[in-house]
């Protein structure tokens, strides 16, 4: 892995920090454990493919265990097995709308056919003509096409009439109905808050009618996020105040527009409106009222928070300015979310594919209906749990690799005195150090998050299964445990991120880095509250700005379709996507600020500006320290409360 010896386990309690001087492998046993775990994940995929699951998944199989599109071997004690389906390449369900909502599968006989019926077949005569013309028999193998209209078996072994028009699913060779209205019952079971079918249909029609607007608004949120990242790079000094003013104007403007639209639509005449459009108008009016009230409450709460934080906002400007310089010197940081998202999508695609393989692997058994199903028996049936743990651990590992990469690049920038001596691509240099030295540390940190996340997910599953059955005390205890585990997960994630920064600085193992980072954070607890938290809050305002801008554009565009479209769901989809996009981009900036803060705290603790112990920090941070010291002295004269607030800002550099 690029090194020959591991880091020494013995660490001095008074150890000196030597940024970027020594590099050694960290947490090698955890890297070996992670590699073995990944080999186990590969074994699950290989086992499912080797037992024929891949062919059964892609080509499909009928109710007698025959794989479509190939010659099959006879299964013991199972009738109609071992047939030659070389020319029958598609799976056809006799009753595709007979859904088992509990087990999430189709409760219908499946046959291998030569072609899917492209047009609706209303009678058995139509089914017979289709079989004679296309050579595709849609009834059971025991019935000849000439007997479809003659035998009494047709009611049980022929498709349910009328046979809906269907088309093969690409790559998976299943005949799926072209009109998916028969799956409405399944959708209604998932959307539990919909009690009226007409409401569900209006919501779905609203999404389908507004799909172009939704795609355009999603693209707008992506563009706004990129623009905000560029603005952060160049105007970080005034960014805080610009964001504050824009959020104030945006929240006031959005609230005012919502109330204006509500008043306008309420006063609009409705005498000539047809009943269906009247119902849509009432739904939109009700949605506008809810949005307007929610926006008003949100605006009031936002103003109160900003009023409390107004004195601390100026303290983040220095870190924001340095973070802007980091993005100027490290432009590839902006694209970091894309690579992480791409890696996650590839892994999730592999995971879902293997999950589908597991659903069709195992030995053939007959169910109570006499149909063949494939089930795993013995110890191998617990591969599901292993696969689920792999989803969480490897996903957390990929996210942790991003954190370590960003931390390594920012640490290189901070602790390089002459910025002209930076590596040509600090991001790639950080990735190289991660792969050569610190994959074990990332594996250990992500495993700790996995250990906390799995119990929380189990409790959430139990809570969902017992909904309406448990008593109030049990429900309260479950929710309390879930909340506590969620808080623990967030705390550990924050500590992990700082531990990765400490590892990037001093090349120590995870436990040592976590301990060192924790000590630094505890010593600078008020700094964390006054600088780091305020910085996160300002980035949250940036996310709010993007969501409000996208949502306001959505309101104005969807307002033109209010007469024939329910745009509640489209607007929710757009706002959620805008928040996710803004979070992905601004989380990188938030990560940079967190790393810079820890580097700054270490710098002020172990250096005092004297010869041989010069500060690494940027001039802007030096000015910030001096201004904080002066403000502390002035506050000491004016009031003790302000003095206590400003003291942590300058205490670390009091000897400078």
């Amino acid at each position: 892995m690029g090194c020959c010896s591991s880091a020494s386990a013995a660490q001095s309690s008074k150890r000196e920090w030597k940024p970027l001087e020594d590099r050694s492998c960290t947490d090698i046993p955890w890297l070996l454990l992670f590699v073995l775990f990944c080999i186990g994940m590969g074994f699950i995929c290989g086992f499912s493919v080797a037992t024929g699951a891949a062919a059964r998944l892609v080509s499909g199989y009928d109710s007698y265990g025959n794989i479509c599109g190939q010659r099959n071997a006879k299964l013991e004690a199972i009738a109609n097995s071992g047939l030659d389906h070389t020319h029958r390449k598609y799976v056809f369900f006799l009753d595709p709308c007979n859904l088992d909502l509990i087990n999430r599968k189709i409760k219908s006989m499946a046959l291998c056919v030569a072609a899917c019926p492209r047009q609706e077949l209303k009678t058995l005569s139509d089914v017979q003509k289709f079989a004679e013309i296309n050579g595709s028999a849609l009834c059971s193998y025991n019935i000849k096409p000439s007997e479809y209209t003659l035998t009494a078996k047709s009611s049980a072994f022929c498709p349910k009439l009328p046979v809906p028009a269907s088309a093969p699913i690409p790559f998976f060779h299943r005949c799926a109905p072209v009109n998916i209205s028969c799956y409405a019952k399944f959708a209604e079971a998932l959307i539990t808050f919909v009690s009226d079918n007409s409401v569900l249909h209006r919501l779905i029609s609203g999404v389908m009618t507004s799909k172009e607007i939704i795609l355009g608004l999603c693209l707008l949120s992506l563009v706004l996020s990129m623009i905000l990242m560029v603005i952060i790079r160049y105007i970080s000094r005034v960014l805080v105040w610009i964001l504050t003013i824009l959020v104030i104007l945006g929240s006031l403007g959005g609230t005012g527009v919502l109330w204006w639209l509500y008043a306008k639509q309420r006063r609009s005449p409705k005498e000539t409106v047809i009943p269906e459009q009247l119902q849509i108008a009432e739904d939109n009016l009700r949605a506008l009222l809810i949005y307007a009230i929610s926006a008003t409450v949100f605006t009031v709460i936002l103003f109160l928070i900003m009023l409390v934080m107004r004195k601390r906002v100026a303290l983040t400007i220095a870190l924001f300015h340095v973070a802007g310089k980091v993005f100027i010197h490290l432009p590839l940081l902006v694209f970091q979310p894309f690579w992480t998202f791409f890696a996650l999508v590839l892994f999730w695609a592999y995971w879902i594919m293997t999950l589908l393989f597991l659903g069709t692997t195992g030995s053939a058994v007959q169910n109570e209906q006499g149909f063949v199903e494939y089930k795993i028996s013995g110890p191998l049936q617990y591969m599901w749990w292993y696969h689920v743990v792999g989803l969480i651990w490897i996903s957390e590992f990929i996210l942790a690799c991003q954190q370590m990469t960003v931390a390594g690049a920012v640490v290189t920038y901070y602790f390089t005195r002459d910025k002209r001596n930076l590596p040509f691509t600090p991001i790639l240099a950080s990735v190289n150090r991660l792969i050569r030295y610190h994959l074990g540390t990332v594996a250990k940190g992500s495993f700790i998050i996995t250990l906390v996340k799995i119990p929380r997910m189990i409790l959430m599953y139990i809570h969902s299964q017992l909904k309406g059955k448990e008593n109030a005390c049990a429900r309260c205890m479950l929710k309390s445990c879930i909340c506590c585990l969620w808080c623990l997960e967030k705390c550990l994630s924050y500590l992990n991120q700082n531990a990765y920064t400490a590892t990037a600085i001093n090349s120590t193992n995870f436990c040592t880095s976590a301990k060192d980072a924790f000590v630094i954070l505890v010593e600078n607890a008020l700094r964390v509250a006054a600088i780091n938290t305020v910085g996160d809050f300002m980035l949250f305002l940036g996310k709010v700005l993007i969501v409000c801008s996208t949502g306001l554009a959505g309101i104005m565009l969807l307002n033109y379709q209010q007469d024939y479209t329910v745009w509640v769901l489209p607007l929710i989809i757009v706002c959620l996507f805008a928040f996710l996009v803004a979070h992905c981009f601004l989380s990188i900036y938030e990560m940079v600020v967190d790393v810079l803060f820890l580097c700054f705290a270490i710098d002020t603790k172990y250096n005092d500006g004297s010869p041989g112990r010069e500060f690494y920090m940027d001039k802007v941070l030096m000015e910030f320290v001096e201004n904080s010291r002066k403000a502390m002295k002035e506050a000491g004269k004016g009031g003790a409360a302000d003095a206590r607030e400003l003291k942590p800002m300058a205490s670390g550099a009091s000897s400078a």
Side-chain angles (χ1 to χ4, degrees):
M1 296 304 296
C3 59
C4 300
S5 60
S6 63
S8 175
Q11 297 288 344
S12 171
S13 61
K14 298 287 185 179
R15 174 180 48 77
E16 288 287 334
W17 289 68
K18 297 180 179 180
L20 308 177
E21 291 187 12
D22 300 317
R23 284 291 146 195
S24 58
C25 291
T26 55
D27 298 295
I28 294 179
W30 283 94
L31 176 59
L32 297 177
L33 178 63
F34 182 74
V35 171
L36 291 176
F37 184 87
C38 291
I39 292 175
M41 292 283 290
F43 168 78
I44 292 177
C45 182
F47 171 79
S48 59
V49 172
T51 53
R56 286 192 288 269
L57 174 65
V58 176
S59 300
Y61 61 96
D62 61 16
S63 296
Y64 307 105
N66 301 298
I67 299 176
C68 299
Q70 69 178 45
R71 187 185 299 272
N72 296 274
K74 177 72 176 177
L75 299 177
E76 184 178 354
I78 296 179
N80 291 328
S81 63
L83 300 180
D84 184 2
H85 286 329
T86 305
H87 301 291
R88 299 172 179 174
K89 299 182 179 180
Y90 303 102
V91 179
F92 175 77
F93 296 96
L94 300 190
D95 187 5
C97 296
N98 186 8
L99 301 173
D100 184 353
L101 299 179
I102 297 177
N103 297 314
R104 295 176 296 279
K105 63 181 181 180
I106 299 175
K107 295 171 59 178
S108 168
M109 177 185 291
L111 301 174
C112 292
V113 298
C116 302
R118 298 284 182 163
Q119 296 179 343
E120 185 180 55
L121 307 177
K122 297 181 179 180
T123 64
L124 284 175
S125 298
D126 294 337
V127 176
Q128 182 175 343
K129 289 180 180 178
F130 178 81
E132 292 172 350
I133 295 174
N134 297 278
S136 181
L138 302 183
C139 294
S140 178
Y141 306 133
N142 298 327
I143 306 177
K144 298 179 180 179
S146 58
E147 301 175 352
Y148 285 179
T149 57
L150 303 176
T151 178
K153 297 181 180 179
S154 299
S155 58
F157 296 98
C158 284
K160 182 179 179 181
L161 299 175
V163 181
S166 60
I169 300 175
F171 306 110
F172 288 98
H173 301 87
R174 269 79 167 176
C175 295
V178 176
N179 184 2
I180 61 172
S181 60
C182 65
Y183 297 130
K185 194 186 301 182
F186 183 71
E188 290 165 18
L190 296 178
I191 308 175
T192 55
F193 64 84
V194 176
S195 57
D196 184 7
N197 292 352
S198 61
V199 175
L200 174 64
H201 296 156
R202 288 200 301 273
L203 290 175
I204 295 176
S205 65
V207 174
M208 298 305 297
T209 306
S210 310
K211 56 182 181 295
E212 293 85 3
I213 295 178
I214 293 175
L215 291 175
L217 291 172
C218 291
L219 181 61
L220 175 64
S221 66
L222 182 63
V223 173
L224 289 177
S225 300
M226 296 290 291
I227 292 175
L228 186 58
M229 290 296 294
V230 174
I231 292 175
I232 288 176
R233 288 175 55 184
Y234 294 105
I235 59 171
S236 56
R237 284 186 178 273
V238 295
L239 175 65
V240 172
W241 303 114
I242 290 177
L243 281 177
T244 303
I245 295 172
L246 287 178
V247 168
I248 291 174
L249 295 178
S251 57
L252 286 175
T255 304
V257 167
L258 285 171
W259 283 113
W260 173 72
L261 288 174
Y262 172 73
K264 177 184 175 182
Q265 190 166 337
R266 188 176 182 181
R267 290 196 302 266
S268 61
K270 302 180 177 60
E271 290 81 5
T272 60
V273 179
I274 62 177
E276 184 178 355
Q277 291 183 348
L278 180 61
Q279 182 63 44
I280 292 176
E282 290 178 355
D283 290 341
N284 286 333
L285 184 65
R286 191 181 305 111
L288 276 174
L289 179 61
I290 295 174
Y291 286 153
I293 295 175
S294 302
T296 303
V297 174
F298 175 78
T299 301
V300 172
I301 294 175
L302 190 63
F303 280 1
L304 292 176
I305 293 175
M306 294 177 70
L307 185 65
V308 173
M309 305 288 279
R310 71 188 190 281
K311 290 185 179 180
R312 299 181 177 180
V313 167
L315 302 177
T316 64
I317 294 179
L319 279 177
F320 269 65
H321 182 73
V322 177
K325 287 186 176 181
V326 171
F327 279 96
I328 292 175
H329 286 86
L330 312 177
L332 290 180
L333 277 177
V334 178
F335 300 99
Q336 194 62 35
F338 288 107
W339 313 131
T340 303
F341 179 74
F342 181 69
L344 285 173
V345 167
L346 286 180
F347 169 68
W348 290 341
Y350 162 81
W351 189 87
I352 292 174
M353 179 190 68
T354 305
L355 182 67
L356 294 175
F357 285 167
L358 285 175
T360 55
T361 193
S363 304
V365 295
Q366 282 186 307
N367 58 18
E368 61 276 4
Q369 297 175 291
F371 300 154
V372 172
E373 293 181 350
Y374 288 89
K375 294 184 178 180
I376 306 175
S377 59
L380 293 177
Q381 62 183 321
Y382 299 107
M383 288 192 299
W384 292 89
W385 291 101
Y386 191 97
H387 196 57
V388 172
V389 173
L391 171 67
I392 301 173
W393 191 5
I394 297 179
S395 297
E396 291 295 330
F397 177 84
I398 294 173
L399 294 173
C401 285
Q402 172 183 270
Q403 294 176 348
M404 180 69 86
T405 300
V406 173
V410 176
V411 164
T412 301
Y413 171 85
Y414 188 96
F415 288 105
T416 301
R417 298 187 188 277
D418 188 354
K419 306 308 179 189
R420 293 174 297 181
N421 295 331
L422 284 171
F424 178 69
T425 53
I427 288 288
L428 295 181
S430 179
V431 171
N432 179 52
R433 289 197 300 270
L434 166 65
I435 296 175
R436 292 183 63 189
Y437 302 111
H438 304 312
L439 284 178
T441 298
V442 171
K444 186 173 183 179
S446 56
F447 181 76
I448 292 175
I449 300 298
T450 304
L451 286 181
V452 179
K453 186 165 286 188
I454 289 176
R456 182 169 68 86
M457 295 179 66
I458 293 175
L459 290 178
M460 291 175 64
Y461 175 77
I462 294 175
H463 181 263
S464 65
Q465 293 298 309
L466 297 179
K467 186 171 292 185
K469 301 178 182 179
E470 77 279 15
N471 56 38
C473 181
R475 183 168 60 252
C476 180
M477 290 181 63
L478 270 176
K479 289 185 176 179
S480 299
C481 292
I482 293 172
C483 181
C484 291
L485 287 173
W486 181 84
C487 294
L488 178 61
E489 180 185 334
K490 295 303 176 183
C491 293
L492 288 176
S493 297
Y494 181 72
L495 182 59
N496 275 12
Q497 181 179 323
N498 286 278
Y500 298 148
T501 303
T503 298
I505 295 173
N506 231 30
S507 193
T508 50
N509 60 51
F510 179 82
C511 291
T512 302
S513 299
K515 181 193 70 175
D516 293 340
F518 181 76
V519 170
I520 294 292
L521 293 175
V522 170
E523 291 176 349
N524 296 270
L526 293 181
R527 284 184 176 182
V528 173
I531 298 177
N532 203 26
T533 305
V534 174
D536 293 346
F537 175 71
M538 298 313 301
L539 292 175
F540 169 74
L541 292 183
K543 299 173 188 177
V544 171
L545 175 62
I546 293 174
V547 173
C548 289
S549 302
T550 308
L552 183 60
I555 291 172
M556 301 305 294
L557 291 174
L558 292 169
N559 186 50
Y560 290 105
Q561 298 182 348
Q562 64 178 355
D563 293 335
Y564 58 92
T565 300
V566 177
W567 44 266
V568 176
L569 190 57
L571 190 61
I572 292 175
I573 292 173
V574 167
C575 290
L576 286 176
F577 183 84
F579 181 81
L580 289 175
V581 170
H583 176 74
C584 288
F585 280 92
L586 294 182
S587 63
I588 296 296
Y589 201 91
E590 179 180 344
M591 208 177 298
V592 170
V593 172
D594 290 340
V595 175
L596 284 174
F597 177 74
L598 187 65
C599 294
F600 171 74
I602 293 170
D603 196 12
T604 55
K605 179 177 181 180
Y606 291 96
N607 298 305
D608 56 10
S610 61
R613 299 186 65 181
E614 296 85 358
F615 286 118
Y616 288 94
M617 69 181 67
D618 190 271
K619 292 181 180 179
V620 177
L621 286 176
M622 288 293 297
E623 294 175 1
F624 167 71
V625 171
E626 294 298 327
N627 292 337
S628 297
R629 188 188 307 158
K630 293 177 182 178
M632 185 189 68
K633 292 179 181 178
E634 294 175 1
K637 299 177 182 179
D642 287 340
R644 285 194 299 270
E645 180 179 328
L646 290 170
K647 185 176 180 180
M649 305 304 158
S651 60
S654 59
S655 59

